[in-house]
Amino acid sequence: YTTVLAIEFSPVVLEKFHLERPLAIVRKISPPLIILGVLLSTLHQSSLGSLFLIIPGRMHPLWYSNIIPFLFIISCVAAGLAMTIFESFLSSRAFGRELELPLLSELAKVMVVTLVLFFTVRVQDLMNRDALQYVLQPTYQSIMFLGELLLGVVLPAVLLMFNKIRTNRAGLFYSAALV
């Protein structure tokens, strides 16, 4: 993965030193490298989630699930979209560039779909495992779980469903920050 990222970043260095031939080669192989980079990062997230499958007794029933690798992938997509919006906002301020609001607004629409999918799968999984009962218990874990789900998934999804918030710099930034 690091090698793929280094090759993807190499055009910046190759352009700086005017190395036209290697630059042409990198540009030619760039589309498959991008696909490989996305595939590797997706597999990486899924395998991280899979690690939790080996310790069922050490995780609270609100978080332990047989589909945790799938939940990791969905949350990774949502977090990636949110981080893109968050980073774009910060870099536009740092470098004095205009924020690409129409593009980021479209990303926010995709993020809403991803968050709704995550919420639906999460709640359905709790119901299938008969673990929904733990949400209503007054424990530290249930409070943290509700905070995670309500503040990090439901609230930003609902906010970003409104065009007025999705096309507003502050609304978009704070919604992404919640995710």
Side-chain angles (χ1 to χ4, degrees):
Y1 184 62
T2 304
T3 304
V4 170
L5 290 177
I7 294 170
E8 286 178 353
F9 180 73
S10 69
V12 174
V13 176
L14 297 172
E15 285 174 359
K16 175 118 174 113
F17 293 107
H18 307 289
L19 299 169
E20 298 301 323
R21 188 164 165 85
L23 182 60
I25 293 169
V26 170
R27 285 191 175 146
K28 212 174 255 185
I29 64 169
S30 195
L33 277 177
I34 291 169
I35 293 168
L36 185 61
V38 169
L39 184 64
L40 287 172
S41 65
T42 302
L43 293 172
H44 170 71
Q45 288 301 318
S46 182
S47 64
L48 283 176
S50 298
L51 286 175
F52 287 107
L53 291 174
I54 61 175
I55 56 167
R58 303 216 20 141
M59 288 182 68
H60 194 277
L62 287 172
W63 285 280
Y64 182 79
S65 169
N66 287 335
I67 65 164
I68 200 167
F70 182 61
L71 291 169
F72 261 64
I73 290 172
I74 301 172
S75 66
C76 164
V77 171
L81 292 166
M83 186 52 71
T84 301
I85 293 168
F86 186 83
E87 169 277 324
S88 295
F89 182 89
L90 294 180
S91 65
S92 77
R93 286 187 63 185
F95 298 113
R97 294 181 160 233
E98 189 60 35
L99 189 64
E100 296 180 38
L101 208 50
L103 177 64
L104 296 178
S105 179
E106 291 299 314
L107 280 181
K109 287 180 185 177
V110 177
M111 188 166 56
V112 168
V113 172
T114 308
L115 290 171
V116 169
L117 175 65
F118 179 80
F119 179 80
T120 304
V121 170
R122 195 79 169 95
V123 171
Q124 187 65 45
D125 176 55
L126 288 171
M127 291 184 335
N128 290 344
R129 293 184 297 110
D130 215 16
L132 207 50
Q133 62 182 322
Y134 297 106
V135 174
L136 303 175
Q137 293 177 350
T139 63
Y140 174 77
Q141 288 84 359
S142 66
I143 292 168
M144 295 306 288
F145 180 82
L146 285 171
E148 173 189 336
L149 210 57
L150 296 176
L151 294 175
V153 178
V154 174
L155 181 59
V158 169
L159 288 173
L160 291 171
M161 286 180 187
F162 295 100
N163 191 48
K164 186 175 182 178
I165 292 175
R166 205 175 44 250
T167 56
N168 177 289
R169 290 173 58 97
L172 194 57
F173 174 76
Y174 289 118
S175 297
L178 283 169
V179 176

